[in-house]
Amino acid sequence: MRNVYCVGVGITKYGNLESSAPELASSAAVEALTDANINPGDVDGMFLANCQGAYGGTQLHMSPLVATDLGMPNIPSVRVENACASGGCAFRLGYMSVAGGFNDVALVVGTESVSAMPTARSTETFAFGGDSEYEAKSGISFPGFYALMARAHMEKHGTTREQLAAIAVKNHLNGTRNPKAHFRKELDKQRVLNSFIVTDPLSLFDCSPFSDGAAAVLLVPENMIGRFENPIRVAGSGQASTPNALHDRQDLTTITGTSVAAEKACRQAEVKVKDLSFAEVHDCFTIAEVIALEDIGVYKKGQAALASEAGETAIEGIFPVNPSGGLKAKGHPVAATGVGQIVELVEQLRNQAGDRQVKNAKTGLAHNVGATGATVVVHILSNE
Amino acid sequence: MRNVYCVGVGITKYGNLESSAPELASSAAVEALTDANINPGDVDGMFLANCQGAYGGTQLHMSPLVATDLGMPNIPSVRVENACASGGCAFRLGYMSVAGGFNDVALVVGTESVSAMPTARSTETFAFGGDSEYEAKSGISFPGFYALMARAHMEKHGTTREQLAAIAVKNHLNGTRNPKAHFRKELDKQRVLNSFIVTDPLSLFDCSPFSDGAAAVLLVPENMIGRFENPIRVAGSGQASTPNALHDRQDLTTITGTSVAAEKACRQAEVKVKDLSFAEVHDCFTIAEVIALEDIGVYKKGQAALASEAGETAIEGIFPVNPSGGLKAKGHPVAATGVGQIVELVEQLRNQAGDRQVKNAKTGLAHNVGATGATVVVHILSNE
């Protein structure tokens, strides 16, 4: 198996962009090609993540369309959809393809355009990412799922709304330092607590937005990195699943797929969690950041919310989490999210993250979740 | 790179089945597991193809759902969508994963449930597989695309409606010998010619149906084949693209992606086209079988329709094509189609194809197309 490196990254602004998903994909990909200083003709495979193409945008079969737009009309390409983990899955397939010797220059793109949909329809279609027949059709959608998990976490570990609010405040502050973030406005804790309840105990500012956006990464094997500046190594890749439906789980305060995927990635990367410099985790709701940090093993069960409230996960803290602003403030363009996390890791590990630079960043972890954890993908990148 | 073998196959009946796509997927997968005599717990990765999950069936994120249903709730899984080539892409990813050492027992499943949709809606949503913005929105859908290709082929090579009708007759005859086929009724040429025109020059019986159905294949590396009966080797895998939109093509009588993908697969398999025993090709319309055979290189341009009319591609002919009945008669459950072709190859190469057995079958080719060739996937399997 070959070592694989990220040699080019691109990312659009996240937000309400009035562009189609293929257009956004091309924008991010062109930026990645420019960043790597390579020609479209050098790319020999594409892995494209898109979630809502069919239902929202009336475009299936998006990967060869984008490849043609980019001037690479003959390369093999696939579209991957695993709900909000689509991007992480596409990155992992691109990694596997280069590591396995099937591609020498793989382009991974995640893209989504959802803001043109009415919010109620978005919420409905995203609910299709769970166990649609039993969950969506009974009226429960993602804010409801995560509210159940938050309530269970509060009961079991004493987690408070104030602690969750501290995560929103931290991620919004980080977002002000990220020029590509959807939200670049500071929040204070009281505003989070006073915002209207979406599904008790989660209020508006506990929830990430629906964003439009795209992100792209170029991958090459080790023998090719000589011609690139600042190649960043993919040190570990892990993916695992958890039963889609909450009613199939034994414990709502944990997502077992996260623990399995993180352990696989760490084992491959030969690093311990305590040796990581920082992480981008899937904070679709504030409670999701808490559960992720505990399942990855950064904190023991019941400790992550306390630590976040104490400032440990700030950019200047002992373990920075979501320096990009996370899904909460950077935004959540569904299938782009997992690829955007990799872009953040690469920029941090190149020491090019500007105002939000994590000091002495050597090893970063990206954690991307589909639905309530039915799919979890974890990657570890390193500049060493 | 490891050699990879198919060690278990399963396929549902194709037709109007009144089951959901996840249910059909599980049926086919259980048959494949039983065929291979292995436990669900031995599977360590799943690659699931489904095309219409979101728009038609309100179920995104289908792969972990099916994995949970099958008793493998923790394995990594992805859903792939490349229109009608979704199945071929999923099989190729499964192959790459095992060849590259990422999985030891990979389950590939293709599944589709579309018959509950009104035909007009199906036709609309399938049109999203082309270049939706420029093509679907101007009112052209797949019968129209292939009619344009048929007309161009007639003008350039003198192909006739009678020759195309002979392909429908042959594939329907093959379908009568396949217990899983959607249509098991013989047709005579006059009936094809007299059937109503869908889009001139294609009439009803030039078109494949929308079917429900699923197919599954289990893949393992060479070092594990000792415990399985009749393992069939994946000798070559090729994938390529062609610009989605017909208006971006220079010649409507050829799909360049087919030539590229077939050549890659043959090169890897170290076989020449003339050495193949038979092929399953993507005959979504009768003209598509003609163009496929010419682009793969079985016949020179302008010769395939003549040869088909002369009986050369019958099961007893010199080069049997679509012994299963093809998309035309076996049926076309969209994302299942490409996996179902592999199932047919395996059954033929095991000498287990019953009434439709190709004599002395040693090497078979499967050719799966998305849209009008934006994605083409070719695999070559061998029992040697």
Side-chain angles (χ1 to χ4, degrees):
Chain A
M1 219 176 283
R2 308 193 288 186
N3 281 322
V4 178
Y5 288 74
C6 302
V7 295
V9 293
I11 189 164
T12 67
K13 172 110 175 75
Y14 285 4
N16 300 329
L17 300 179
E18 298 185 356
S19 293
S20 72
E23 286 167 346
L24 294 171
S26 293
S27 297
V30 166
E31 196 176 304
L33 290 163
T34 306
D35 180 44
N37 193 25
I38 65 174
N39 295 317
D42 293 333
V43 175
D44 61 4
M46 180 198 279
F47 299 84
L48 181 137
N50 175 261
C51 190
Q52 293 291 335
Y55 202 98
T58 71
Q59 180 64 60
L60 289 164
H61 206 183
M62 201 180 286
S63 64
L65 189 78
V66 172
T68 300
D69 288 348
L70 287 168
M72 41 184 96
N74 303 117
I75 60 167
S77 69
V78 291
R79 174 203 166 203
V80 183
E81 180 278 310
N82 275 49
C84 305
S86 303
C89 288
F91 182 77
R92 182 170 152 83
L93 290 176
Y95 163 72
M96 286 162 62
S97 177
V98 175
F102 295 95
N103 284 115
D104 282 329
V105 184
L107 173 61
V108 178
V109 193
T111 187
E112 208 73 53
S113 178
V114 288
S115 66
M117 271 197 268
T119 304
R121 191 171 176 213
S122 305
T123 301
E124 182 204 2
T125 62
F126 285 113
F128 298 163
D131 186 337
S132 180
E133 192 168 357
Y134 291 93
E135 295 182 326
K137 288 179 184 168
S138 67
I140 188 164
S141 62
F142 283 96
F145 292 130
Y146 278 93
L148 287 167
M149 296 163 81
R151 181 59 70 198
H153 206 275
M154 287 172 166
E155 303 249 328
K156 190 164 177 180
H157 298 298
T159 306
T160 65
R161 280 199 67 208
E162 285 72 13
Q163 289 164 359
L164 297 181
I167 291 170
V169 170
K170 183 258 298 175
N171 287 350
H172 271 259
L173 179 63
N174 295 355
T176 64
R177 306 187 191 176
N178 184 351
K180 301 292 181 83
H182 190 161
F183 297 135
R184 306 194 65 199
K185 236 159 71 172
E186 278 192 57
L187 279 181
D188 64 44
K189 194 187 276 194
Q190 210 49 48
R191 188 155 175 227
V192 179
L193 293 171
N194 292 345
S195 66
F196 71 85
I197 293 289
V198 175
T199 38
D200 180 51
L202 302 177
S203 69
L204 179 66
F205 290 115
D206 286 300
C207 309
S208 64
F210 292 128
S211 312
D212 305 327
V217 180
L218 282 160
L219 295 168
V220 304
E222 187 160 21
N223 64 301
M224 286 177 65
I225 60 173
R227 58 181 277 209
F228 299 101
E229 284 179 29
N230 278 320
I232 301 296
R233 185 165 58 92
V234 184
S237 174
Q239 185 184 340
S241 301
T242 317
N244 283 40
L246 283 195
H247 57 245
D248 284 337
R249 310 234 184 128
Q250 305 225 319
D251 182 350
L252 295 188
T253 65
T254 180
I255 292 173
T256 53
T258 292
S259 309
V260 176
E263 203 213 313
K264 279 187 196 171
C266 285
R267 199 184 325 128
Q268 185 188 348
E270 297 179 347
V271 297
K272 292 195 170 10
V273 171
K274 68 174 176 53
D275 300 326
L276 296 168
S277 312
F278 70 103
E280 288 280 309
V281 305
H282 196 95
D283 61 324
C284 47
F285 299 89
T286 48
I287 184 65
E289 180 163 321
V290 173
I291 294 176
L293 291 175
E294 293 171 354
D295 287 338
I296 292 167
V298 178
Y299 292 103
K300 290 191 179 143
K301 273 288 162 197
Q303 299 301 309
L306 281 165
S308 299
E309 197 177 30
E312 293 186 13
T313 58
I315 290 177
E316 295 76 14
I318 56 171
F319 188 75
V321 176
N322 285 325
S324 71
L327 282 66
K328 184 67 206 75
K330 181 189 184 187
H332 183 22
V334 202
T337 292
V339 184
Q341 291 176 327
I342 301 291
V343 173
E344 180 69 14
L345 261 56
V346 169
E347 292 185 349
Q348 292 284 355
L349 294 167
R350 284 175 173 177
N351 203 22
Q352 293 176 347
D355 291 345
R356 64 186 193 285
Q357 182 63 47
V358 171
K359 276 197 189 141
N360 302 316
K362 296 194 185 319
T363 314
L365 178 148
H367 163 262
N368 186 204
V369 168
T372 49
T375 299
V376 183
V377 191
V378 173
H379 284 97
I380 294 173
L381 271 57
S382 168
N383 60 12
E384 292 185 321
Chain B
M1 219 177 282
R2 309 193 289 187
N3 281 322
V4 178
Y5 287 74
C6 303
V7 295
V9 293
I11 188 163
T12 67
K13 172 109 174 77
Y14 285 4
N16 299 329
L17 301 179
E18 297 185 358
S19 293
S20 72
E23 286 166 347
L24 294 171
S26 292
S27 298
V30 166
E31 197 176 304
L33 290 162
T34 307
D35 180 45
N37 193 25
I38 65 173
N39 295 317
D42 293 334
V43 175
D44 61 4
M46 181 198 278
F47 299 84
L48 180 137
N50 175 261
C51 190
Q52 293 291 336
Y55 202 99
T58 70
Q59 180 64 60
L60 289 163
H61 207 183
M62 200 180 285
S63 65
L65 190 77
V66 172
T68 300
D69 287 348
L70 287 167
M72 40 185 96
N74 303 118
I75 61 166
S77 69
V78 291
R79 174 204 166 203
V80 183
E81 180 278 310
N82 275 49
C84 306
S86 302
C89 288
F91 182 77
R92 182 171 151 84
L93 290 175
Y95 162 72
M96 287 162 60
S97 176
V98 175
F102 295 95
N103 283 115
D104 282 330
V105 183
L107 173 61
V108 178
V109 193
T111 188
E112 208 74 52
S113 178
V114 287
S115 66
M117 270 196 268
T119 304
R121 193 171 176 213
S122 305
T123 301
E124 182 204 2
T125 62
F126 285 113
F128 298 163
D131 186 336
S132 181
E133 192 169 355
Y134 290 95
E135 296 182 324
K137 288 179 183 168
S138 68
I140 190 164
S141 62
F142 283 96
F145 292 131
Y146 279 93
L148 286 168
M149 295 164 81
R151 182 60 69 198
H153 205 276
M154 287 172 166
E155 302 250 328
K156 190 164 177 179
H157 299 298
T159 306
T160 65
R161 280 199 67 209
E162 285 73 15
Q163 289 164 358
L164 297 181
I167 291 170
V169 170
K170 183 259 297 175
N171 286 350
H172 271 259
L173 179 63
N174 295 355
T176 65
R177 306 187 191 177
N178 184 351
K180 301 293 181 82
H182 190 160
F183 296 134
R184 306 195 63 200
K185 238 163 64 176
E186 279 192 56
L187 278 182
D188 63 43
K189 194 188 275 193
Q190 210 49 48
R191 188 155 174 227
V192 179
L193 292 171
N194 291 346
S195 66
F196 71 86
I197 293 287
V198 174
T199 39
D200 181 51
L202 302 177
S203 70
L204 179 66
F205 289 114
D206 286 299
C207 309
S208 64
F210 292 128
S211 312
D212 304 327
V217 180
L218 282 159
L219 295 168
V220 305
E222 187 161 19
N223 64 300
M224 287 177 65
I225 60 173
R227 59 181 278 207
F228 299 101
E229 285 178 27
N230 278 320
I232 300 296
R233 185 165 58 92
V234 184
S237 174
Q239 185 183 341
S241 301
T242 317
N244 283 41
L246 283 196
H247 57 245
D248 284 336
R249 310 235 183 126
Q250 306 225 319
D251 183 349
L252 296 187
T253 65
T254 180
I255 291 173
T256 53
T258 292
S259 308
V260 176
E263 203 214 311
K264 279 188 197 171
C266 285
R267 201 183 324 129
Q268 185 189 349
E270 297 179 349
V271 297
K272 293 198 169 9
V273 172
K274 68 175 176 53
D275 300 327
L276 296 167
S277 311
F278 70 102
E280 287 280 309
V281 305
H282 197 95
D283 60 324
C284 47
F285 299 89
T286 48
I287 184 64
E289 180 163 319
V290 173
I291 293 176
L293 292 175
E294 293 171 352
D295 287 338
I296 292 166
V298 177
Y299 292 104
K300 290 191 178 143
K301 272 289 162 196
Q303 300 300 309
L306 281 165
S308 298
E309 197 176 31
E312 293 186 13
T313 57
I315 290 177
E316 295 77 13
I318 56 170
F319 188 75
V321 176
N322 285 325
S324 72
L327 283 67
K328 184 68 207 75
K330 180 189 184 187
H332 183 22
V334 202
T337 292
V339 185
Q341 290 177 328
I342 302 291
V343 173
E344 180 69 14
L345 261 55
V346 170
E347 292 185 348
Q348 292 284 356
L349 294 167
R350 283 176 173 176
N351 203 23
Q352 293 176 348
D355 292 344
R356 64 186 192 287
Q357 182 64 47
V358 171
K359 276 195 190 144
N360 303 315
K362 297 194 184 320
T363 314
L365 178 147
H367 163 262
N368 187 204
V369 168
T372 49
T375 299
V376 183
V377 192
V378 173
H379 284 97
I380 294 173
L381 271 57
S382 168
N383 60 12
E384 292 186 320

